[in-house]
Amino acid sequence: ITLVLGDLERGDRTKIITLITLDVHGRDVVNKLITDKVESVGAFLWQQQLRFDFDPSNLDTNIKICDYKTKYFYEWVGNTGRLVITPLTDRCYMTLTQALTFKLGGSPAGPAGTGKTETVKDLGKNLAKYVVVSNCSDGMDYKSVGRIFSGLVQSGAWGCFDEFNRIRLPVLSVVAQ
């Protein structure tokens, strides 16, 4: 903490604050595991955590949370800050990754300004997956939505459609097909 209060370059400050954020979350998780006397790697309290394992045999990093397993995607997203991880963030990660297990997408719901988009972006950072955020409006037609989908498929990025409910019903009907 003393280091953050000192004179740092912007990039170094971002790195250190990110490490502190992740460390505080790690401390909270360990305290919860101790308090609940978790003794098995099969315990749900452990399984629901986003975990990273390095496999030296093939030099891959594997990511696990509940039933979801994937390889780290190695997409460089820059030296950016991280979202503060709360129990609700953990639940969102768990829900979205379980949807991915079944080859589905997710649609976080809630009041404006509660961090739905930021949570999806932060999960993408955790998996090193690029997330493209599109702010939807009633001016979008099926061609513009189709171009967005085409770009996402070609790049392998995730799409996060902010204010999806603003798209007109006839356009949604075409998109749904």
Side-chain angles (χ1 to χ4, degrees):
I1 301 288
T2 308
L3 192 57
V4 176
L5 299 174
D7 187 28
L8 289 172
E9 290 184 23
R10 183 176 179 204
D12 292 336
R13 182 173 303 282
T14 302
K15 282 184 226 173
I16 292 169
I17 290 174
T18 298
L19 289 171
I20 291 170
T21 302
L22 295 175
D23 192 47
V24 166
H25 176 66
R27 179 203 62 197
D28 293 345
V29 168
V30 169
N31 284 340
K32 179 85 170 138
L33 292 171
I34 291 169
T35 302
D36 291 357
K37 297 183 169 90
V38 173
E39 297 177 354
S40 165
V41 294
F44 181 69
L45 275 175
W46 175 247
Q47 291 293 318
Q48 74 180 12
Q49 299 304 317
L50 194 61
R51 304 175 316 280
F52 299 82
D53 298 324
F54 180 72
D55 184 357
S57 67
N58 59 10
L59 301 177
D60 273 335
T61 300
N62 302 304
I63 304 172
K64 300 174 187 173
I65 180 171
C66 293
D67 296 332
Y68 179 72
K69 295 177 179 113
T70 189
K71 296 203 180 302
Y72 189 73
F73 292 103
Y74 297 101
E75 176 73 35
W76 172 248
V77 291
N79 181 22
T80 59
R82 296 299 295 267
L83 191 65
V84 173
I85 306 166
T86 65
L88 181 57
T89 311
D90 280 334
R91 283 198 337 224
C92 286
Y93 286 178
M94 190 171 37
T95 304
L96 291 169
T97 54
Q98 289 310 290
L100 291 172
T101 300
F102 297 112
K103 308 292 187 227
L104 299 170
S107 180
T114 55
K116 299 176 294 291
T117 300
E118 292 303 317
T119 300
V120 171
K121 286 170 46 180
D122 202 61
L123 179 59
K125 285 179 194 174
N126 275 308
L127 302 179
K129 192 82 167 158
Y130 190 63
V131 179
V132 177
V133 178
S134 300
N135 293 310
C136 301
S137 72
D138 57 355
M140 294 178 82
D141 62 1
Y142 72 93
K143 289 179 181 177
S144 62
V145 175
R147 283 191 296 272
I148 293 170
F149 284 154
S150 176
L152 292 172
V153 168
Q154 290 176 39
S155 68
W158 283 359
C160 182
F161 295 89
D162 220 1
E163 301 295 336
F164 194 71
N165 58 321
R166 291 185 182 176
I167 299 177
R168 291 178 295 131
L169 196 56
V171 176
L172 287 177
S173 150
V174 172
V175 169
Q177 293 179 11

